[in-house]
Amino acid sequence: MAKESFNWKSLFINDETNNSEGTTATQPSTPISTTTDKKFPNQATEAFPTNSLTNPFLNEIFEVYDKGFESLNESGFDFFELYKSVMAVGVTNPQSYQMAFTMGKSIKSDLTKEFLLQKGSFYIAEIEKVYTKYDTIGKTKKAELDNTITKEKYNLSKSISDLEAKIIELQKELEAKKIELQKIDPVNMEQLSEIQLKMDANNLAKQKILTSINTVITGINQYL
């Protein structure tokens, strides 16, 4: 009886399907220890040495696929058990396949090459389904984030452009006010001078008329 088909943890944080499946997403900020025993071939990580060093999620994702692969295993001997046996002895050693097959025949007498290949194709198909699912999720999340970033950059760029335009207008207004300030004294100097002359004339006229009046008053007091 096959185990429940793929109930793998999400490959992405905050995946909505993760909550519905009742699983807890592993935080990718804490990479899985490189000492974790992997069921995948060691050649898989050795084939990408640079990625192994620069991608902190690589070991974690390998473990996700490992557990998913194992979750598909049926009771009895099939491709999964042969796979583990061959990987333990040597994937390029012909004897490892023969030994694993002989061991499998002792458990499952009707074991055939065709059955193993059929089950191998089944595992590949199931893994491809999960890969497609999470690849789609990843591309969707990336597209959403790209759109969000694009919108934020556009809005900020527009705000910056608007502010720069306002600054240019304020600078123009500032220069105009400075010029206006410089023109105040020359423009009003003639008026100020005229007003001052009139005030001076007013003072002189008052003094003159008062002086003459006072002279007459003095004469009246003296001569009458």
Side-chain angles (χ1 to χ4, degrees):
M1 192 70 183
K3 295 183 180 179
E4 287 291 330
S5 186
F6 288 60
N7 186 21
W8 296 9
K9 64 183 178 180
S10 172
L11 302 183
F12 301 91
I13 290 183
N14 295 330
D15 179 16
E16 293 78 8
T17 59
N18 202 38
N19 293 329
S20 63
E21 292 175 351
T23 57
T24 302
T26 301
Q27 295 296 330
S29 58
T30 307
I32 301 299
S33 171
T34 54
T35 59
T36 301
D37 181 25
K38 299 183 183 63
K39 297 180 182 62
F40 272 127
N42 291 332
Q43 290 88 338
T45 53
E46 291 171 359
F48 308 100
T50 302
N51 289 344
S52 299
L53 294 174
T54 59
N55 191 333
F57 303 96
L58 195 57
N59 288 327
E60 181 180 348
I61 304 306
F62 272 135
E63 185 173 355
V64 169
Y65 275 84
D66 264 344
K67 290 179 179 179
F69 183 24
E70 187 172 2
S71 73
L72 293 170
N73 185 29
E74 299 177 352
S75 59
F77 190 96
D78 73 350
F79 176 85
F80 182 80
E81 282 69 31
L82 183 135
Y83 170 87
K84 290 200 299 182
S85 178
V86 168
M87 295 310 304
V89 177
V91 70
T92 59
N93 184 356
Q95 291 182 349
S96 64
Y97 291 88
Q98 296 168 6
M99 291 170 57
F101 187 74
T102 300
M103 178 182 68
K105 290 282 286 185
S106 67
I107 299 172
K108 181 179 174 64
S109 59
D110 60 345
L111 184 68
T112 64
K113 174 182 176 181
E114 290 70 26
F115 172 75
L116 291 171
L117 292 176
Q118 178 186 357
K119 294 301 293 183
S121 297
F122 163 75
Y123 286 120
I124 289 174
E126 291 299 310
I127 288 173
E128 286 289 352
K129 288 179 186 177
V130 175
Y131 166 79
T132 300
K133 171 186 174 182
Y134 287 112
D135 183 59
T136 300
I137 292 173
K139 287 177 179 176
T140 300
K141 288 183 177 290
K142 184 176 182 296
E144 290 173 353
L145 183 57
D146 283 339
N147 289 336
T148 299
I149 291 172
T150 299
K151 289 179 181 178
E152 288 181 353
K153 289 174 71 174
Y154 171 79
N155 291 335
L156 285 172
S157 296
K158 187 176 183 304
S159 296
I160 290 171
S161 297
D162 292 343
L163 287 172
E164 287 175 340
K166 287 181 180 178
I167 289 173
I168 291 173
E169 288 300 317
L170 287 172
Q171 287 176 332
K172 289 180 179 179
E173 186 177 349
L174 176 63
E175 291 302 317
K177 294 297 182 182
K178 286 182 178 180
I179 293 173
E180 198 174 328
L181 175 63
Q182 292 173 351
K183 289 180 177 180
I184 285 179
D185 285 345
V187 168
N188 294 285
M189 187 61 67
E190 185 177 347
Q191 275 187 300
L192 286 171
S193 178
E194 181 179 338
I195 291 171
Q196 185 63 50
L197 288 174
K198 288 180 178 181
M199 290 175 64
D200 291 344
N202 183 52
N203 290 333
L204 291 172
K206 182 198 74 167
Q207 291 297 326
K208 181 179 180 182
I209 191 67
L210 289 179
T211 299
S212 62
I213 290 173
N214 285 325
T215 301
V216 172
I217 290 173
T218 299
I220 290 173
N221 289 326
Q222 289 179 350
Y223 306 120
L224 293 180

